[in-house]
Amino acid sequence: MSALEKAFHSPVGRKVAAKAGLAEPARLRRGRAYPAGAIVLATIGASTLGSDTLARIGRPFDAPVVDSGEDPAPGYGNPIGALVIDATAVNRIAQLEQLRAVLRPGMRALEASGRVILLAREGAGDWEQQAVARALDGIDRTVAKELRKGATSNLVRMALDAGAADVASTMEFLLQGRSAFVDGQAWSVKASPDAPELTSRPLDGRVVVVTGAARGIGAAIARTLARDGARVVAVDVPAAGEQLAAVANEVAGTALQLDITARDAGARIAEHVAARGDRIHGVVHNAGITRDKMLANTDADRWASVLEVNLAAQMRMNEVLLDPAVPGSVADGGRVVGIASTSGLAGNKGQTNYAASKAGVAGLIIAMAPDLASRRITVNAVAPGFIETDMTARIPFVQREVFRRSNSLSQGGSPVDVAETICYLLDPASQGITGQVIRVCGQNLVGA
């Protein structure tokens, strides 16, 4: 049972929820489980991308029920698990009616934790085509807000030359429970000539460094990486040494006690990896701090400490870890993942320093991605919303409940939701995803 479910079912939780008229939040499907019901594929126009992609991940699909406008609307005999809409050939306003015609019965029929997945091409061409590309984004965001019972909707934009092999890891991620708290989002997939086949252990034998790994989201990242086969280098400050060792032992990884703000932090990580005869496949910059105050009350030390840990230290480490001449650094074809935040993307009262640092992370990965493309190193970030951790558990219950409910899924996320999205980005089959910021926030209504 999640922290939210425990809180909801506690005596205080029941009393507060009853007075506020709050319904019990849906229990989300998580892990590598696919939907129980049928996957339905609706193709609009001349395209085989959707069918080719589902075939590549080994998922059969059914034809959609199409609404011609009658009332009551047509329906499915049984709940369906997912509605995949291949809209990659959609470029005219009139074609949007076909989306409505398959979405209306499909949304009504989705099982709990069902999925709507829209595939589209990146906006290009004449004015109408570019307008339609943005219209698809509006459809996705609104559908996500209208779905119930833990169902989600997301939009995947494909480069003009990208194909089924490039989007396969994304389709797998979105259909599975790994994407439980990713909702109402859109990101882009580029073409990649060397995308490997999908596997349930995509990181088998690969070294991944995780900072801030001793607790919370960092520990969840380490555990999920180990599930996917990674050899984890767990990094955290010496004060967290006991917890860090416990996490490293649990995942059969190695522990490195290190303050990431040290000037030689990057070099020490590389030395740790090189001493074992390895190179790094992935770096997850998870370590971060908050020092919240209204800006009028924020002094220089409080300001500087957050920017130093959350942003400047990453940049210094990257300079070393991305130098191919340094033994133990990131190998070609590697991955870098930063942790942004919805506070950075939308702003948050009392967190100017934190918002600056996390918006800076988003800006950093966008800047780095093209510079590392020639080495096939991808650089991305996740932006968590309200995630249930020991830190958020200390927030007063009523305030915490408001934060939980301020998204389309009406609940807080789990640390594993962040970890799953990171593992998707670290997957060698996700070579086509770079320079992207994916929100893991249940479609947080602030800045959505």
Side-chain angles (χ1 to χ4, degrees), residues 16 70 116 151 275 413 428:
V16 172
E70 67 264 29
V116 173

Side-chain angles (χ1 to χ4, degrees), residues 44-67:
I44 300 174
S47 172
T48 63
L49 179 64
S51 57
D52 291 347
T53 305
L54 288 170
R56 191 173 182 88
I57 65 174
R59 310 310 298 181
F61 56 87
D62 292 346
V65 169
V66 180
D67 173 34

Side-chain angles (χ1 to χ4, degrees), residues 200-366:
S200 61
R201 286 175 61 86
L203 301 174
D204 212 8
R206 298 173 186 265
V207 175
V208 180
V209 176
V210 183
T211 66
R215 61 180 69 82
I217 292 174
I221 294 169
R223 295 183 184 108
T224 309
L225 286 168
R227 179 204 66 187
D228 286 356
R231 296 159 59 197
V232 178
V233 177
V235 179
D236 216 317
V237 292
E242 186 174 341
Q243 291 173 289
L244 182 67
V247 171
N249 289 336
E250 178 186 345
V251 302
T254 60
L256 176 60
Q257 296 184 22
L258 174 67
D259 181 348
I260 63 166
T261 64
R263 297 292 161 171
D264 65 344
R268 288 182 59 189
I269 292 171
E271 289 168 4
H272 179 90
V273 175
R276 290 155 178 79
D278 293 321
R279 296 289 293 273
I280 296 170
H281 169 72
V283 178
V284 182
H285 290 293
N286 170 70
I289 62 170
T290 57
R291 295 290 184 270
D292 295 351
K293 281 282 187 182
M294 298 291 281
L295 182 59
N297 299 319
T298 300
D299 59 28
D301 288 343
R302 188 179 294 270
W303 182 270
S305 62
V306 172
L307 287 167
E308 172 67 13
V309 174
N310 296 0
L311 183 58
Q314 286 189 37
M315 294 185 66
R316 287 197 300 272
M317 287 189 289
N318 284 340
E319 289 180 4
V320 176
L321 296 177
L322 291 169
D323 184 347
V326 174
S329 62
V330 177
D332 289 356
R335 305 282 186 266
V336 177
V337 181
I339 308 293
S341 170
T342 54
S343 293
L345 303 182
N348 196 29
K349 183 178 179 180
Q351 287 194 312
T352 309
N353 51 0
Y354 184 75
S357 69
K358 293 303 185 178
V361 169
L364 179 62
I365 67 100
I366 293 168

Side-chain angles (χ1 to χ4, degrees), residues 423-443:
C423 285
Y424 150 65
L425 294 171
L426 290 168
D427 190 331
S430 297
Q431 184 66 42
I433 300 98
T434 191
Q436 305 298 301
V437 181
I438 300 177
R439 289 171 49 141
V440 185
C441 64
Q443 198 183 26

Side-chain angles (χ1 to χ4, degrees), residues 8 24 56 77 107 153 168 195 207 214 294 299 360 368 377 401 429-430:
F8 190 94
E24 182 178 355
R56 191 173 182 88
M107 289 173 64
S153 176
V207 175
M294 298 291 281
D299 59 28
M368 290 172 62
I377 294 175
E401 193 67 20
S430 297

Side-chain angles (χ1 to χ4, degrees), residues 11-22 397-398 401:
V12 174
R14 287 195 189 97
K15 185 175 181 179
V16 172
K19 286 187 175 181
L22 298 174
F397 179 82
V398 174
E401 193 67 20

